[in-house]
Every structure is written in structure tokens, then in C-alpha cells.
Amino acid sequence: MTAERRAVGDPDAADRRATGEPGGIAERLAAVARRLGLACERAGVAPRDVRFVAVSKFHGTPALTAALEAGHRHYGESRVQEAQRKWPPLQERYPGTRLHLIGPLQTNKAAAAVGAFDVLHSLDRPRLAAALAAAMERTGRRPDCFVQVNTGGEPHKSGVPVAGVDAFVKECVGTCGLPVVGLMCIPPYGGDPRPHFRLLRALAAEHGLHELSMGMSADFETAVAEGATTVRVGEAVFGPRPRP
């Protein structure tokens, strides 16, 4: 059957093209898991000690269901409202699914994020820290938090400046009482990520933080070699990200 005939005969075909075809997702998940296992072996760490978050932002139910049916349970989203819209029915069907917020978080969405996510990777300013602390106090939910560090000093990118990490971590933990478990970074595009991963690891060690969220589709194996405990892989699993 031709693509044109499939599109005419299948009213969901256009939606699948817009949200990521489910075909092959299980195989790509397995391929990434194999690469991750080899990277862990080279780094001398156990694969169970490196969390693999499949970045599912902008992908729809067919693609997510294919990954869930394959047994994967950690997913990354960048928008609170998108996660609220698409994930509750899937979480009910697939117990143990955990959601990671990996995108910038607006202060006015802090309470919603605390309710929707299990891990927050983008804590980056005092007002947000205070809003999250208040939301956690009200709800009793305490998602793990990563402080995002702008290791490249890029003015357009979110994250705490390297020089401000010490004061900000102390404020988050001491003043706000947030469950900060580690640091997160996104190295500048196109450069060598290793210096950024090494810097993040050193900063985390200074504060007794054991978790490092770093590494994406293009560099997660390098991140594992430099100490990553969470990698965020999207395109290698779901293919090119559709437009929101």
C-alpha cells in the first residue's frame, strides 16, 4: 500500500507523522540501552546506577505507548501543561512511570510541576526555589531537584552561573529545604562537552552531591565516562522531534 493510500485510508496517519511514528521505538530503546551498557562497562560503573530518561517532549500517545510497552519507565518533558495533558492516562495504565521536567520552569508553574513530576532538572533561581519549597510544603510531594548550571556562561541559556553555584545550593538546601540531589548542565552546542561535564562533576563533589544529570543523544556516552548518573536521550529513541 502506498503512503498516499495509507494516509487516505487511515485518519490517524497524519497524527502519527506529527507526533512520532511508533514503529521501531522498541528497537531504538534497546540500541540506546546497549550503548549505555557498554559506556558503563568502559567507565567501570553498573548500568543500574545510570538512569536513562527518554525525552518524550512533543511526542504523542502512539510513540509513548510503544516505549511504555517496551518496558521503559523514565520520560522527560519540557512543558508542564503538555505533561499534564498527555501523561495521567498513561501513568494509570503503566504503573511505575516517572516523569522528569527537563525544561525551564516558570515560577507561576511551580505548584503544577510539583504535582506532575517526580524529578525537576531545572532549578536555577531563588524565586523558583522559594515557590517550589512552598508548593512542596502545601502538597507533601517532594520531587528530587537538580540545580541547573550554565557551565558555558551562555547569556541565552538558563542555569546558575558557575560563580553562583555555591551560594545558590546553600540557599536551596539550607534556607528552602529543597531535596537537591545533584547538578544538571547542557554544554554549548557544537563544542567538546567534556570540560563542561568535568566542571559539573567537580562542582557537585564540592557540595557532597552525588547525582549528575548530563548527556544527550549526541554525547551521553561521553557523559557516562565523566560521571553522569542520569542521561537524557530523545532523538536517538523517538527520532526527530516534531514541532510543538
Side-chain angles (χ1 to χ4, degrees):
M1 183 182 293
T2 67
E4 290 79 10
R5 289 181 63 191
R6 284 198 302 270
V8 170
D10 181 358
D12 295 324
D15 181 65
R16 284 200 301 272
R17 286 196 299 272
T19 58
E21 287 282 355
I25 285 177
E27 291 81 2
R28 291 195 292 273
L29 274 168
V32 171
R34 286 193 296 271
R35 290 171 58 191
L36 182 58
L38 290 172
C40 289
E41 183 179 341
R42 291 191 295 269
V45 299
R48 65 176 178 273
D49 293 333
V50 180
R51 183 184 297 117
F52 165 19
V53 175
V55 179
S56 52
K57 61 182 181 179
F58 309 146
H59 291 282
T61 299
L64 304 185
T65 300
L68 287 159
E69 283 291 325
H72 199 74
R73 290 296 181 267
H74 287 268
Y75 295 88
E77 295 285 339
S78 62
R79 296 181 177 182
V80 176
Q81 288 174 303
E82 181 184 353
Q84 289 176 315
R85 172 178 54 80
K86 71 186 186 183
W87 275 105
L90 292 171
Q91 289 174 297
E92 187 173 343
R93 286 174 57 194
Y94 299 94
T97 299
R98 291 174 62 81
L99 296 186
H100 299 247
L101 180 66
I102 60 172
L105 177 59
Q106 297 175 357
T107 302
N108 63 1
K109 299 277 196 335
V114 166
F117 290 91
D118 302 289
V119 186
L120 307 175
H121 290 247
S122 47
L123 175 56
D124 65 353
R125 58 197 187 280
R127 284 187 61 211
L128 178 58
L132 289 172
M136 291 183 193
E137 179 68 22
R138 287 194 305 271
T139 64
R141 280 181 55 84
R142 291 179 62 79
D144 288 343
C145 296
F146 285 84
V147 168
Q148 182 173 353
V149 182
N150 188 346
T151 56
E154 297 172 277
H156 63 280
K157 187 176 286 183
S158 301
V160 181
V162 171
V165 170
D166 183 68
F168 185 63
V169 169
K170 289 177 179 176
E171 179 174 359
C172 289
V173 175
T175 304
C176 297
L178 292 175
V180 175
V181 299
L183 305 180
M184 178 271 233
C185 77
I186 303 173
Y189 178 77
D192 183 357
R194 288 177 182 82
H196 301 274
F197 294 157
R198 291 170 183 169
L199 173 59
L200 198 73
R201 185 176 190 174
L203 289 168
E206 288 177 10
H207 295 89
L209 300 172
H210 303 292
E211 300 285 330
L212 293 170
S213 173
M214 59 191 197
M216 298 184 288
S217 288
D219 57 17
F220 72 87
E221 289 147 313
T222 301
V224 170
E226 299 299 338
T229 60
T230 295
V231 296
R232 312 176 304 271
V233 181
E235 189 165 326
V237 173
F238 293 107
R241 190 164 60 241
R243 293 183 179 276

